[in-house]
Amino acid sequence: MTSPETVLQGKDRTIQGRLYMSFELGDKLWKLTLSDGRRSPSRYTVTAGEQGAVADCICKAKARCGLAAEAKVHACYEAGRDGWWLHRWLVGQGIDNIVVDSASIEVNRRARRAKTDRLDGDKLLAMLLRHHAGERVWSVLHEPTAEDEDARRTHRELARLTHERIAHTNRIGSLLVLHNLRPHIIIGGRDRAHSWDSHCEQVPPVLRAEIERESARLALVKQQIKALEAARRQELADGKQPLVAQLAKLRGIGLHGAWILDKELFGRRRFANRRELAGCLGLAPTPYTSGDSQIEQGISKAGNKRARALLVELAWKWLTLQPDSALTQWFNRRFAAAGKRMRRVGIIALARRLAIALWRYLEHGEIPTGAMLKPASA
Protein backbone atom coordinates (compact mmCIF):
# COMPACT_ATOMS: atom_id res chain seq x y z
CA MET A 1 0.00 0.00 0.00
CA THR A 2 1.49 3.30 -1.08
CA SER A 3 1.45 5.94 1.67
CA PRO A 4 0.99 9.67 1.06
CA GLU A 5 4.46 10.29 2.55
CA THR A 6 6.20 8.19 -0.12
CA VAL A 7 4.01 8.81 -3.14
CA LEU A 8 6.44 11.39 -4.53
CA GLN A 9 9.52 9.63 -3.21
CA GLY A 10 12.60 11.80 -3.63
CA LYS A 11 10.85 14.37 -5.79
CA ASP A 12 8.40 16.88 -4.28
CA ARG A 13 6.13 17.87 -7.12
CA THR A 14 3.12 18.94 -5.09
CA ILE A 15 2.15 22.58 -5.07
CA GLN A 16 3.31 24.00 -1.77
CA GLY A 17 0.87 25.86 0.42
CA ARG A 18 -2.10 23.70 -0.46
CA LEU A 19 -4.11 21.15 1.48
CA TYR A 20 -5.21 17.80 0.03
CA MET A 21 -8.18 15.90 1.46
CA SER A 22 -9.86 12.56 0.78
CA PHE A 23 -13.25 11.35 2.02
CA GLU A 24 -14.14 7.78 2.87
CA LEU A 25 -17.92 8.07 3.00
CA GLY A 26 -19.98 5.72 5.15
CA ASP A 27 -23.63 5.56 6.11
CA LYS A 28 -23.02 6.75 9.68
CA LEU A 29 -19.43 7.99 9.78
CA TRP A 30 -17.05 9.73 7.39
CA LYS A 31 -13.29 9.28 7.50
CA LEU A 32 -11.29 12.36 6.44
CA THR A 33 -7.59 12.17 5.56
CA LEU A 34 -5.76 15.48 5.06
CA SER A 35 -2.17 16.46 4.27
CA ASP A 36 -0.16 19.14 2.53
CA GLY A 37 1.73 16.44 0.60
CA ARG A 38 4.85 16.63 2.75
CA ARG A 39 3.76 15.91 6.30
CA SER A 40 2.15 12.75 7.61
CA PRO A 41 -1.62 12.89 7.12
CA SER A 42 -4.15 14.01 9.70
CA ARG A 43 -7.11 11.68 10.11
CA TYR A 44 -10.51 12.65 11.47
CA THR A 45 -13.85 10.88 11.92
CA VAL A 46 -17.06 12.90 11.67
CA THR A 47 -20.73 12.08 11.66
CA ALA A 48 -22.02 11.51 8.13
CA GLY A 49 -23.43 14.69 6.62
CA GLU A 50 -22.06 17.06 9.28
CA GLN A 51 -20.88 19.96 7.12
CA GLY A 52 -19.73 22.04 10.07
CA ALA A 53 -17.55 19.18 11.34
CA VAL A 54 -15.90 18.87 7.91
CA ALA A 55 -15.12 22.60 7.90
CA ASP A 56 -13.63 22.32 11.41
CA CYS A 57 -11.38 19.43 10.31
CA ILE A 58 -10.09 21.49 7.41
CA CYS A 59 -9.23 24.38 9.74
CA LYS A 60 -7.42 22.03 12.15
CA ALA A 61 -5.44 20.41 9.32
CA LYS A 62 -4.40 23.81 7.94
CA ALA A 63 -3.20 24.87 11.38
CA ARG A 64 -1.25 21.62 11.83
CA CYS A 65 0.42 22.00 8.42
CA GLY A 66 1.19 25.67 9.00
CA LEU A 67 -1.01 26.80 6.10
CA ALA A 68 -2.82 30.09 5.84
CA ALA A 69 -6.56 30.13 6.46
CA GLU A 70 -7.15 31.03 2.79
CA ALA A 71 -4.92 28.22 1.46
CA LYS A 72 -6.38 26.27 -1.46
CA VAL A 73 -7.94 22.89 -0.65
CA HIS A 74 -8.16 19.98 -3.09
CA ALA A 75 -10.52 17.13 -2.23
CA CYS A 76 -11.87 13.89 -3.67
CA TYR A 77 -14.27 11.08 -2.87
CA GLU A 78 -15.62 7.99 -4.60
CA ALA A 79 -18.97 8.15 -6.38
CA GLY A 80 -21.65 6.46 -4.30
CA ARG A 81 -24.85 6.89 -2.34
CA ASP A 82 -24.23 10.52 -1.41
CA GLY A 83 -24.31 11.52 -5.05
CA TRP A 84 -23.45 15.10 -5.94
CA TRP A 85 -24.73 17.18 -3.03
CA LEU A 86 -21.41 16.95 -1.19
CA HIS A 87 -19.49 17.94 -4.32
CA ARG A 88 -21.69 21.00 -4.79
CA TRP A 89 -21.32 22.00 -1.15
CA LEU A 90 -17.51 21.66 -1.30
CA VAL A 91 -17.33 23.71 -4.49
CA GLY A 92 -19.54 26.31 -2.84
CA GLN A 93 -16.98 26.52 -0.02
CA GLY A 94 -14.23 27.25 -2.54
CA ILE A 95 -12.77 23.73 -2.41
CA ASP A 96 -11.55 22.12 -5.62
CA ASN A 97 -13.27 18.72 -5.47
CA ILE A 98 -13.42 15.78 -7.87
CA VAL A 99 -15.70 12.74 -7.80
CA VAL A 100 -13.91 9.54 -8.79
CA ASP A 101 -15.23 6.46 -10.57
CA SER A 102 -14.75 3.69 -7.99
CA ALA A 103 -13.95 1.09 -10.64
CA SER A 104 -10.93 3.11 -11.84
CA ILE A 105 -9.11 3.15 -8.49
CA GLU A 106 -5.95 1.05 -8.30
CA VAL A 107 -6.04 -1.98 -6.01
CA ASN A 108 -3.47 -4.49 -4.83
CA ARG A 109 -3.90 -7.69 -6.85
CA ARG A 110 -2.90 -10.05 -4.07
CA ALA A 111 -5.54 -12.62 -3.21
CA ARG A 112 -5.52 -11.43 0.40
CA ARG A 113 -5.09 -7.72 0.81
CA ALA A 114 -5.71 -5.55 3.82
CA LYS A 115 -8.72 -3.24 3.43
CA THR A 116 -9.87 -0.75 6.05
CA ASP A 117 -11.39 2.71 5.92
CA ARG A 118 -8.06 4.15 7.08
CA LEU A 119 -6.11 2.38 4.33
CA ASP A 120 -8.70 3.40 1.74
CA GLY A 121 -8.50 7.02 2.86
CA ASP A 122 -4.70 6.97 2.65
CA LYS A 123 -4.91 5.39 -0.81
CA LEU A 124 -7.30 8.06 -2.08
CA LEU A 125 -5.10 10.82 -0.67
CA ALA A 126 -1.99 9.34 -2.31
CA MET A 127 -3.76 9.13 -5.67
CA LEU A 128 -5.07 12.68 -5.26
CA LEU A 129 -1.50 13.89 -4.79
CA ARG A 130 -0.42 11.99 -7.91
CA HIS A 131 -3.40 13.38 -9.83
CA HIS A 132 -2.40 16.96 -9.03
CA ALA A 133 1.22 16.14 -9.85
CA GLY A 134 0.13 15.43 -13.44
CA GLU A 135 -0.37 11.66 -13.49
CA ARG A 136 -3.44 10.05 -14.99
CA VAL A 137 -4.44 7.70 -12.19
CA TRP A 138 -8.25 7.43 -12.32
CA SER A 139 -11.44 8.43 -14.12
CA VAL A 140 -13.09 11.66 -12.99
CA LEU A 141 -16.87 11.83 -13.35
CA HIS A 142 -18.63 14.76 -14.99
CA GLU A 143 -20.98 16.65 -12.70
CA PRO A 144 -24.57 16.88 -13.99
CA THR A 145 -26.47 20.07 -13.32
CA ALA A 146 -29.06 19.89 -10.57
CA GLU A 147 -31.77 20.13 -13.25
CA ASP A 148 -30.30 17.28 -15.31
CA GLU A 149 -29.94 15.13 -12.21
CA ASP A 150 -33.55 15.75 -11.22
CA ALA A 151 -34.80 15.07 -14.76
CA ARG A 152 -33.53 11.48 -14.54
CA ARG A 153 -35.88 10.63 -11.70
CA THR A 154 -39.03 10.05 -13.79
CA HIS A 155 -37.88 7.18 -16.01
CA ARG A 156 -35.89 5.57 -13.19
CA GLU A 157 -38.94 5.57 -10.95
CA LEU A 158 -41.00 4.15 -13.81
CA ALA A 159 -38.50 1.31 -14.18
CA ARG A 160 -38.75 0.49 -10.47
CA LEU A 161 -42.55 0.64 -10.55
CA THR A 162 -42.62 -1.67 -13.55
CA HIS A 163 -40.54 -4.23 -11.66
CA GLU A 164 -42.87 -3.86 -8.67
CA ARG A 165 -45.90 -4.45 -10.89
CA ILE A 166 -44.36 -7.65 -12.23
CA ALA A 167 -43.46 -8.79 -8.71
CA HIS A 168 -47.00 -8.20 -7.38
CA THR A 169 -48.58 -9.93 -10.39
CA ASN A 170 -46.28 -12.94 -10.06
CA ARG A 171 -46.92 -13.17 -6.32
CA ILE A 172 -50.71 -13.16 -6.76
CA GLY A 173 -50.40 -15.80 -9.46
CA SER A 174 -48.27 -18.02 -7.24
CA LEU A 175 -50.76 -17.77 -4.39
CA LEU A 176 -53.68 -18.62 -6.67
CA VAL A 177 -51.99 -21.74 -8.04
CA LEU A 178 -51.84 -23.13 -4.49
CA HIS A 179 -55.57 -23.82 -4.88
CA ASN A 180 -55.68 -24.67 -8.58
CA LEU A 181 -56.85 -21.24 -9.68
CA ARG A 182 -55.26 -20.28 -12.99
CA PRO A 183 -53.72 -16.80 -12.81
CA HIS A 184 -54.32 -16.02 -16.50
CA ILE A 185 -58.07 -16.40 -15.95
CA ILE A 186 -58.40 -14.32 -12.78
CA ILE A 187 -55.61 -11.76 -13.24
CA GLY A 188 -55.60 -11.56 -17.02
CA GLY A 189 -59.33 -11.43 -17.64
CA ARG A 190 -61.11 -8.25 -18.64
CA ASP A 191 -63.46 -8.25 -15.65
CA ARG A 192 -60.93 -9.01 -12.96
CA ALA A 193 -63.15 -8.00 -10.05
CA HIS A 194 -66.03 -10.25 -11.16
CA SER A 195 -63.65 -13.13 -11.86
CA TRP A 196 -62.11 -12.86 -8.40
CA ASP A 197 -65.53 -12.60 -6.69
CA SER A 198 -66.64 -15.81 -8.37
CA HIS A 199 -63.56 -17.75 -7.23
CA CYS A 200 -62.58 -16.21 -3.90
CA GLU A 201 -64.69 -18.73 -1.94
CA GLN A 202 -62.28 -21.46 -3.03
CA VAL A 203 -59.47 -19.71 -1.13
CA PRO A 204 -59.04 -19.96 2.68
CA PRO A 205 -59.78 -16.67 4.48
CA VAL A 206 -56.20 -15.83 5.56
CA LEU A 207 -54.81 -16.45 2.08
CA ARG A 208 -57.73 -14.53 0.57
CA ALA A 209 -56.88 -11.51 2.73
CA GLU A 210 -53.21 -11.73 1.66
CA ILE A 211 -54.19 -11.82 -2.02
CA GLU A 212 -56.49 -8.82 -1.56
CA ARG A 213 -53.72 -6.81 0.14
CA GLU A 214 -51.34 -7.75 -2.66
CA SER A 215 -53.99 -6.70 -5.19
CA ALA A 216 -54.37 -3.34 -3.43
CA ARG A 217 -50.63 -2.72 -3.69
CA LEU A 218 -50.73 -3.75 -7.35
CA ALA A 219 -53.56 -1.29 -8.01
CA LEU A 220 -51.55 1.52 -6.36
CA VAL A 221 -48.48 0.73 -8.47
CA LYS A 222 -50.56 0.76 -11.66
CA GLN A 223 -52.11 4.09 -10.66
CA GLN A 224 -48.68 5.65 -10.10
CA ILE A 225 -47.38 4.30 -13.42
CA LYS A 226 -50.34 5.86 -15.26
CA ALA A 227 -49.79 9.19 -13.51
CA LEU A 228 -46.08 9.32 -14.43
CA GLU A 229 -46.74 8.31 -18.04
CA ALA A 230 -49.48 10.94 -18.35
CA ALA A 231 -47.15 13.62 -16.97
CA ARG A 232 -44.48 12.64 -19.49
CA ARG A 233 -46.93 12.80 -22.39
CA GLN A 234 -48.13 16.21 -21.22
CA GLU A 235 -44.56 17.58 -21.13
CA LEU A 236 -44.03 16.30 -24.65
CA ALA A 237 -47.29 17.86 -25.85
CA ASP A 238 -46.30 21.19 -24.28
CA GLY A 239 -43.02 21.23 -26.23
CA LYS A 240 -40.83 20.99 -23.12
CA GLN A 241 -38.86 17.98 -24.41
CA PRO A 242 -37.55 18.86 -27.91
CA LEU A 243 -34.85 16.15 -28.00
CA VAL A 244 -37.34 13.48 -26.96
CA ALA A 245 -39.74 14.63 -29.67
CA GLN A 246 -36.98 14.61 -32.29
CA LEU A 247 -35.85 11.08 -31.40
CA ALA A 248 -39.41 9.78 -31.27
CA LYS A 249 -39.93 10.84 -34.90
CA LEU A 250 -37.78 7.92 -36.03
CA ARG A 251 -39.57 4.66 -36.65
CA GLY A 252 -38.42 2.09 -34.11
CA ILE A 253 -37.94 4.55 -31.23
CA GLY A 254 -40.84 5.13 -28.87
CA LEU A 255 -41.46 7.75 -26.21
CA HIS A 256 -39.92 5.66 -23.43
CA GLY A 257 -36.70 4.92 -25.32
CA ALA A 258 -36.37 8.51 -26.54
CA TRP A 259 -36.85 9.79 -22.99
CA ILE A 260 -34.09 7.57 -21.57
CA LEU A 261 -31.65 8.47 -24.36
CA ASP A 262 -32.27 12.16 -23.73
CA LYS A 263 -32.03 12.11 -19.93
CA GLU A 264 -29.24 9.55 -19.58
CA LEU A 265 -27.07 10.37 -22.56
CA PHE A 266 -27.63 13.01 -25.23
CA GLY A 267 -29.37 15.68 -23.17
CA ARG A 268 -26.58 16.24 -20.62
CA ARG A 269 -23.38 15.17 -22.39
CA ARG A 270 -21.43 16.67 -25.25
CA PHE A 271 -19.15 14.41 -27.27
CA ALA A 272 -16.20 15.48 -29.38
CA ASN A 273 -16.20 12.31 -31.50
CA ARG A 274 -17.70 8.86 -31.83
CA ARG A 275 -15.03 7.25 -29.64
CA GLU A 276 -16.04 9.41 -26.70
CA LEU A 277 -19.66 8.40 -27.24
CA ALA A 278 -18.80 4.68 -27.39
CA GLY A 279 -16.65 5.02 -24.27
CA CYS A 280 -19.46 6.72 -22.36
CA LEU A 281 -21.76 3.82 -23.26
CA GLY A 282 -19.23 1.11 -22.43
CA LEU A 283 -19.34 -0.07 -26.06
CA ALA A 284 -15.59 0.42 -26.55
CA PRO A 285 -13.32 -2.62 -27.15
CA THR A 286 -10.88 -3.77 -24.44
CA PRO A 287 -7.87 -5.43 -26.12
CA TYR A 288 -5.33 -7.36 -24.05
CA THR A 289 -1.94 -7.39 -25.74
CA SER A 290 1.16 -8.59 -23.92
CA GLY A 291 4.08 -10.11 -25.79
CA ASP A 292 2.74 -12.72 -28.18
CA SER A 293 -0.64 -12.81 -26.46
CA GLN A 294 -3.35 -10.82 -28.21
CA ILE A 295 -6.86 -11.21 -26.82
CA GLU A 296 -10.00 -9.18 -27.38
CA GLN A 297 -11.91 -9.14 -24.08
CA GLY A 298 -15.14 -7.72 -25.49
CA ILE A 299 -16.77 -4.39 -24.72
CA SER A 300 -15.73 -2.56 -21.58
CA LYS A 301 -19.26 -2.16 -20.07
CA ALA A 302 -17.81 0.79 -18.15
CA GLY A 303 -20.38 3.36 -19.19
CA ASN A 304 -24.05 4.11 -18.63
CA LYS A 305 -25.70 0.70 -18.26
CA ARG A 306 -29.25 2.01 -18.74
CA ALA A 307 -28.47 3.66 -22.07
CA ARG A 308 -26.36 0.68 -23.19
CA ALA A 309 -29.10 -1.86 -22.43
CA LEU A 310 -31.68 0.32 -24.17
CA LEU A 311 -29.55 0.71 -27.30
CA VAL A 312 -29.19 -3.06 -27.60
CA GLU A 313 -32.98 -3.41 -27.42
CA LEU A 314 -33.42 -0.62 -29.96
CA ALA A 315 -30.92 -2.33 -32.27
CA TRP A 316 -33.06 -5.48 -32.39
CA LYS A 317 -36.20 -3.40 -33.08
CA TRP A 318 -34.31 -1.38 -35.70
CA LEU A 319 -33.72 -4.53 -37.75
CA THR A 320 -37.49 -5.15 -37.87
CA LEU A 321 -38.85 -1.63 -38.24
CA GLN A 322 -36.10 -0.10 -40.40
CA PRO A 323 -35.38 -2.90 -42.93
CA ASP A 324 -34.24 -0.51 -45.69
CA SER A 325 -31.77 1.47 -43.58
CA ALA A 326 -28.04 1.24 -44.21
CA LEU A 327 -27.51 -0.01 -40.66
CA THR A 328 -29.87 -2.96 -41.15
CA GLN A 329 -28.33 -3.84 -44.51
CA TRP A 330 -24.84 -3.75 -42.98
CA PHE A 331 -25.95 -6.10 -40.20
CA ASN A 332 -27.60 -8.48 -42.67
CA ARG A 333 -24.46 -8.67 -44.80
CA ARG A 334 -22.15 -9.29 -41.84
CA PHE A 335 -24.17 -11.33 -39.36
CA ALA A 336 -27.65 -12.36 -40.54
CA ALA A 337 -26.45 -15.58 -42.19
CA ALA A 338 -24.19 -16.50 -39.25
CA GLY A 339 -25.17 -18.47 -36.18
CA LYS A 340 -26.93 -17.22 -33.06
CA ARG A 341 -23.69 -16.35 -31.30
CA MET A 342 -22.44 -14.17 -34.15
CA ARG A 343 -25.79 -12.39 -34.34
CA ARG A 344 -25.54 -11.58 -30.62
CA VAL A 345 -22.03 -10.26 -31.23
CA GLY A 346 -23.24 -8.31 -34.24
CA ILE A 347 -26.11 -6.67 -32.39
CA ILE A 348 -23.62 -5.02 -30.01
CA ALA A 349 -21.76 -3.61 -33.01
CA LEU A 350 -25.07 -2.43 -34.44
CA ALA A 351 -25.98 -0.78 -31.12
CA ARG A 352 -22.72 1.20 -31.23
CA ARG A 353 -23.34 2.30 -34.84
CA LEU A 354 -26.93 3.17 -34.00
CA ALA A 355 -25.79 5.35 -31.07
CA ILE A 356 -23.40 7.22 -33.37
CA ALA A 357 -26.14 7.67 -35.99
CA LEU A 358 -28.58 9.02 -33.38
CA TRP A 359 -25.92 11.38 -32.03
CA ARG A 360 -25.35 12.81 -35.52
CA TYR A 361 -29.11 13.01 -36.03
CA LEU A 362 -29.52 15.14 -32.90
CA GLU A 363 -26.38 17.25 -33.40
CA HIS A 364 -26.62 17.93 -37.12
CA GLY A 365 -30.10 16.78 -38.16
CA GLU A 366 -28.66 13.95 -40.31
CA ILE A 367 -31.33 11.27 -40.59
CA PRO A 368 -29.66 7.80 -40.58
CA THR A 369 -29.16 6.66 -44.20
CA GLY A 370 -32.24 4.86 -45.44
CA ALA A 371 -34.14 5.31 -42.18
CA MET A 372 -37.83 6.22 -42.23
CA LEU A 373 -39.66 8.71 -40.06
CA LYS A 374 -43.03 8.02 -38.51
CA PRO A 375 -46.11 9.48 -40.19
CA ALA A 376 -46.93 12.98 -39.00
CA SER A 377 -50.01 11.78 -37.15
CA ALA A 378 -48.07 9.10 -35.16
Side-chain angles (χ1 to χ4, degrees):
M1 180 69 68
T2 304
S3 67
E5 297 95 320
T6 61
V7 65
L8 301 177
Q9 189 174 6
K11 185 181 291 186
D12 185 4
R13 294 181 293 171
T14 56
I15 300 176
Q16 297 183 14
R18 298 193 176 188
L19 186 68
Y20 299 86
M21 172 174 61
S22 70
F23 287 84
E24 186 63 24
L25 304 179
D27 187 35
K28 296 180 180 179
L29 297 174
W30 288 356
K31 306 287 186 179
L32 278 61
T33 309
L34 305 96
S35 174
D36 63 352
R38 300 194 297 175
R39 294 174 177 82
S40 59
S42 303
R43 300 180 182 89
Y44 303 95
T45 300
V46 301
T47 304
E50 286 290 339
Q51 300 160 318
V54 173
D56 290 341
C57 292
I58 294 174
C59 292
K60 292 177 182 177
K62 284 182 177 179
R64 179 178 180 271
C65 295
L67 299 175
E70 63 275 8
K72 186 69 175 177
V73 180
H74 299 282
C76 70
Y77 66 88
E78 297 180 49
R81 288 181 59 192
D82 282 273
W84 292 96
W85 79 264
L86 177 57
H87 171 80
R88 295 187 180 112
W89 178 77
L90 290 170
V91 172
Q93 300 300 308
I95 298 172
D96 174 34
N97 183 71
I98 56 176
V99 181
V100 181
D101 180 5
S102 302
S104 68
I105 295 176
E106 299 172 353
V107 295
N108 190 322
R109 295 191 295 175
R110 293 181 182 273
R112 293 185 178 180
R113 61 183 177 91
K115 184 182 183 340
T116 65
D117 288 341
R118 173 172 173 159
L119 291 176
D120 288 346
D122 287 354
K123 179 66 175 179
L124 276 177
L125 181 60
M127 295 184 71
L128 180 65
L129 290 167
R130 291 165 56 192
H131 171 79
H132 284 284
E135 291 188 50
R136 185 174 180 178
V137 294
W138 49 27
S139 297
V140 178
L141 301 182
H142 297 276
E143 177 198 1
T145 64
E147 293 76 15
D148 287 339
E149 188 177 17
D150 194 54
R152 295 184 299 194
R153 306 272 34 107
T154 300
H155 66 270
R156 293 186 179 185
E157 184 183 2
L158 269 174
R160 286 192 299 274
L161 288 173
T162 301
H163 288 303
E164 287 183 32
R165 180 176 62 186
I166 294 171
H168 290 314
T169 302
N170 290 345
R171 179 60 180 164
I172 294 171
S174 299
L175 295 175
L176 290 171
V177 169
L178 292 174
H179 292 273
N180 195 28
L181 296 175
R182 299 298 99 183
H184 67 276
I185 297 176
I186 297 177
I187 301 178
R190 290 186 177 180
D191 192 353
R192 296 179 181 85
H194 175 73
S195 179
W196 170 243
D197 290 340
S198 61
H199 292 87
C200 65
E201 296 302 325
Q202 302 179 38
V203 181
V206 176
L207 181 59
R208 184 191 316 156
E210 181 181 353
I211 292 175
E212 289 174 353
R213 286 191 295 270
E214 196 76 37
S215 299
R217 291 193 288 270
L218 175 60
L220 176 60
V221 168
K222 289 181 176 179
Q223 178 184 352
Q224 291 179 346
I225 289 176
K226 287 182 179 179
L228 286 173
E229 290 178 341
R232 262 195 336 191
R233 288 193 297 269
Q234 187 60 47
E235 284 194 33
L236 192 64
D238 294 342
K240 297 179 180 179
Q241 304 294 338
L243 289 182
V244 176
Q246 187 176 353
L247 282 168
K249 290 179 181 179
L250 287 170
R251 180 179 293 180
I253 301 179
L255 171 60
H256 182 67
W259 191 283
I260 294 177
L261 288 176
D262 176 23
K263 305 307 177 186
E264 293 286 350
L265 188 64
F266 297 120
R268 56 174 290 259
R269 295 294 300 271
R270 294 294 177 266
F271 304 100
N273 51 57
R274 56 191 176 88
R275 292 181 180 84
E276 282 190 9
L277 173 59
C280 179
L281 290 168
L283 293 174
T286 51
Y288 181 93
T289 302
S290 179
D292 296 332
S293 177
Q294 295 186 356
I295 303 172
E296 177 51 59
Q297 304 175 98
I299 59 174
S300 67
K301 295 187 179 180
N304 190 308
K305 62 181 181 181
R306 293 179 177 86
R308 180 173 62 252
L310 173 66
L311 280 164
V312 174
E313 293 180 16
L314 290 178
W316 285 115
K317 297 297 293 183
W318 190 269
L319 296 176
T320 303
L321 300 175
Q322 296 280 10
D324 298 326
S325 70
L327 291 173
T328 301
Q329 293 173 5
W330 171 83
F331 179 88
N332 290 336
R333 287 195 306 269
R334 293 286 303 273
F335 304 102
K340 291 183 179 179
R341 180 182 178 279
M342 288 306 299
R343 285 198 292 272
R344 289 196 297 269
V345 171
I347 206 65
I348 302 300
L350 179 62
R352 173 180 170 136
R353 287 178 173 240
L354 178 59
I356 295 169
L358 294 178
W359 169 58
R360 289 171 175 165
Y361 170 61
L362 292 176
E363 289 289 319
H364 309 294
E366 301 176 9
I367 298 174
T369 305
M372 298 180 63
L373 300 178
K374 296 175 184 174
S377 59

